[in-house]
Amino acid sequence: MEYYDIAETWSADQIREEQTKRLRATITQAGKAPFYAKILDEAGLCPGDITSPEDIRRLPFTSKDDLRAQYPDRLCCVPRAQLVRMHCSSGTTGSPVAVCYTQKDVDTWADLMARSMFATGIRREDTFQNMSGYGLFTGGLGIHYGAERLGCMTIPAGAGNTRRQIKLIKDFGVTAVHILPSYALHVAQQIEEEGEDPRELPLRIALVGAEPYTEETRRRIESMLDLKVYNSFGMSEMNGPGVGIECQEQSGLHIWEDAYILEIIDPETGRTLPDGETGELVMTTLTREGMPLLRYRTHDLTRIIPGDCACGRKHRRIDRILGRSDDMFILKGVNIYPMQIEQVLMGFPEVGHNYLIRLEKQGLLETLRVLVEIREEHFVEDMRVLRSLQESIARRLRDEILITPKVDLVQGGSLPRTEGKARRVEDLRDAPEGGN
């Protein structure tokens, strides 16, 4: 088995030993910020008290609200003159979440991203096209630096402008891309609409992330573009992309445990859950110099996959992100995640690539409406056929979410299309009566 660097060959015991050592250094560094100095003092935790990675559980969680409250740079642990980069979230209300980097942080990030790309089979001989937005969003520069660190010819295409994206792929023989799952389907569909076969593109690998998606969607992308899709995981608060990646086994995302401590907790109680149980992912940075974070609640829902991966790496794996605890909506007392609905829809070959979940209220009654695009060849004039499909989708959804939705079948291309993150849920329950 080929690895990018030595840390991928460490045993589980070596990883724990290095985590313990790095956690002590992280506690020391984090204590330079008044916010964490107070927390460490109240917990009575000193670096010398750390004997295992589990000692991090003696501290309270850090939340996104904490990061907003310390905006712009009150969580920084080095002087401003030592910072070389800042990224921040795209929040539209209140203060955003800002993350600051030293040069060492940027270098470590590039190495972790290069390691991630290598694990999927990307090599320096590949031409890599980054279809993420650049600027304050971490997916642009983070992935770009990793691709260059690996030695790939890197095309900073950015987001959007689908025709140009396709032209660049063809003209430069692009073999690997980073792309949103919804946008990958959009690109394939546009190529088909122009009378060409998307499978004839030179692509062989796609790193896909930034929005939750199901295994059914992954297989659809792989089939339409004739490539391998690898689930990528990252978040601005932890650096950006490069936190975790699927290896070529495609059996879960390896979290790079030499750089992060991961925990899975019950999102309601905060209790640590055992491997295999689904809960909220909590992360602690171990190599961050400018702005370390301790026990950060991500709100991402997943589980630690028990056992070892066939690739030989001992860095533990998490399952694909199932959704976010704050994306869940409650209807008629039932907890529902958008990913449950997508999983059902993508199982129907007649269903296209786009759908919209709409929460409505008629009088005192709340209803769930699912608008589903149907592939052109299945959108027939025989209403009996469409009604049968409509009833089948509604029945399958009811079995999954325990509520019978209203299902509207619409023609392909009739729902709003986006070149950024897909908007899947519209909550109109508080809209004026009769409004949309």
Side-chain angles (χ1 to χ4, degrees):
M1 180 62 67
E2 212 177 353
Y3 299 113
Y4 176 74
D5 65 25
I6 191 68
E8 294 174 83
T9 70
W10 290 349
S11 67
D13 287 342
Q14 284 177 299
I15 291 172
R16 284 180 57 82
E17 182 180 345
E18 192 63 27
Q19 282 185 321
T20 303
K21 182 173 71 175
R22 293 184 180 186
L23 181 56
R24 293 191 193 108
T26 295
I27 294 293
T28 300
Q29 186 71 2
K32 296 176 182 177
F35 173 80
Y36 277 128
K38 183 173 182 290
I39 286 175
L40 292 167
D41 182 60
E42 290 174 349
L45 185 65
C46 298
D49 299 328
I50 301 296
T51 60
S52 74
E54 287 72 30
D55 286 328
I56 193 66
R57 298 176 190 172
R58 294 172 57 180
L59 297 176
F61 299 113
T62 301
S63 70
K64 183 164 286 190
D65 286 340
D66 292 327
L67 269 61
R68 289 190 175 113
Q70 300 302 312
Y71 179 87
D73 58 1
R74 288 191 292 276
L75 278 175
C76 290
C77 299
V78 299
R80 175 71 69 88
Q82 293 182 28
L83 297 173
V84 301
R85 175 87 65 80
M86 184 278 290
H87 286 283
C88 74
S89 66
S90 55
T92 56
T93 60
S95 296
V97 171
V99 181
C100 299
Y101 305 72
T102 64
Q103 186 60 56
K104 178 175 175 289
D105 294 335
V106 171
D107 291 341
T108 300
W109 184 14
D111 277 331
L112 288 174
M113 192 64 235
R115 182 199 293 181
S116 297
M117 296 173 71
F118 192 92
T120 68
I122 298 175
R123 298 294 183 265
R124 64 178 302 113
E125 294 78 21
D126 283 292
T127 298
F128 182 81
Q129 186 161 318
N130 189 10
M131 301 163 80
S132 288
Y134 280 67
L136 293 175
F137 175 58
T138 55
L141 288 172
I143 291 172
H144 184 106
Y145 276 44
E148 289 187 341
R149 180 65 55 89
L150 188 56
C152 299
M153 175 182 170
T154 305
I155 301 175
N161 199 334
T162 306
R163 290 183 185 278
R164 184 182 64 183
Q165 300 278 9
I166 296 169
K167 178 175 173 55
L168 290 171
I169 291 171
K170 292 177 178 177
D171 291 351
F172 289 92
V174 173
T175 51
V177 295
H178 176 257
I179 190 170
L180 293 171
S182 57
Y183 191 49
L185 292 171
H186 172 71
V187 168
Q189 185 175 358
Q190 179 151 329
I191 293 173
E192 287 181 337
E193 289 173 355
E194 294 177 357
E196 298 183 41
D197 184 355
R199 295 170 59 88
E200 293 181 358
L201 293 177
L203 298 174
R204 68 184 191 89
I205 290 175
L207 307 184
V208 175
E211 61 185 22
Y213 67 107
T214 60
E215 184 65 20
E216 288 76 11
T217 297
R218 185 230 290 268
R219 297 307 176 200
R220 183 172 288 198
I221 296 169
E222 288 186 329
S223 174
M224 292 188 72
L225 291 167
D226 190 25
L227 46 64
K228 281 291 189 181
V229 168
Y230 294 96
N231 201 0
S232 172
F233 177 69
M235 65 189 73
S236 298
E237 297 90 332
M238 292 295 113
N239 268 355
V243 176
I245 196 78
E246 282 184 324
C247 65
Q248 290 175 280
E249 299 294 329
Q250 291 182 306
S251 61
L253 296 115
H254 290 276
I255 299 294
W256 302 126
E257 293 190 272
D258 54 319
Y260 305 99
I261 292 175
L262 69 150
E263 307 170 68
I264 301 293
I265 65 165
D266 182 317
E268 298 296 327
T269 67
R271 179 177 63 89
T272 301
L273 298 177
D275 291 2
E277 287 195 26
T278 298
E280 180 182 339
L281 178 65
V282 173
M283 302 284 287
T284 295
T285 65
L286 291 176
T287 58
R288 246 263 287 274
E289 187 177 62
M291 190 178 145
L293 292 180
L294 308 176
R295 301 200 82 194
Y296 181 71
R297 293 190 62 161
T298 68
H299 291 289
D300 288 320
L301 297 171
T302 184
R303 67 187 181 101
I304 294 174
I305 298 174
D308 293 334
C309 183
C311 75
R313 296 175 180 87
K314 302 302 181 184
H315 295 257
R316 287 182 297 170
R317 295 164 296 150
I318 61 170
D319 210 342
R320 66 169 57 251
I321 301 301
L322 305 175
R324 290 178 56 83
S325 58
D326 49 2
D327 276 349
M328 180 191 78
F329 58 87
I330 301 175
L331 193 75
K332 299 180 181 179
V334 178
N335 296 347
I336 301 172
Y337 294 95
M339 292 294 288
Q340 293 176 279
I341 293 174
E342 178 177 306
Q343 185 173 4
V344 170
L345 296 180
M346 292 299 115
F348 284 86
E350 301 92 341
V351 169
H353 311 315
N354 211 358
Y355 65 92
L356 182 65
I357 301 165
R358 186 172 285 163
L359 307 176
E360 302 172 330
K361 194 170 186 179
Q362 298 174 344
L364 297 177
L365 182 65
E366 293 185 344
T367 60
L368 171 63
R369 185 182 299 275
V370 182
L371 290 80
V372 185
E373 287 189 355
I374 300 302
R375 292 176 181 269
E376 184 177 353
E377 62 269 27
H378 295 287
F379 204 87
V380 296
E381 292 183 2
D382 190 335
M383 291 303 297
R384 291 171 299 178
V385 174
L386 290 178
R387 190 174 295 114
S388 175
L389 175 60
Q390 189 177 34
E391 291 172 354
S392 294
I393 293 174
R395 189 164 52 247
R396 200 87 61 86
L397 285 171
R398 182 197 61 206
D399 292 343
E400 174 65 27
I401 63 177
L402 308 180
I403 286 177
T404 302
K406 297 179 179 179
V407 175
D408 294 342
L409 305 183
V410 301
Q411 285 185 293
S414 60
L415 294 177
R417 297 165 78 170
T418 175
E419 294 181 336
K421 289 188 181 183
R423 185 187 179 199
R424 298 300 193 192
V425 181
E426 279 186 356
D427 192 343
L428 305 179
R429 289 176 291 183
D430 292 330
E433 191 69 29
N436 283 325

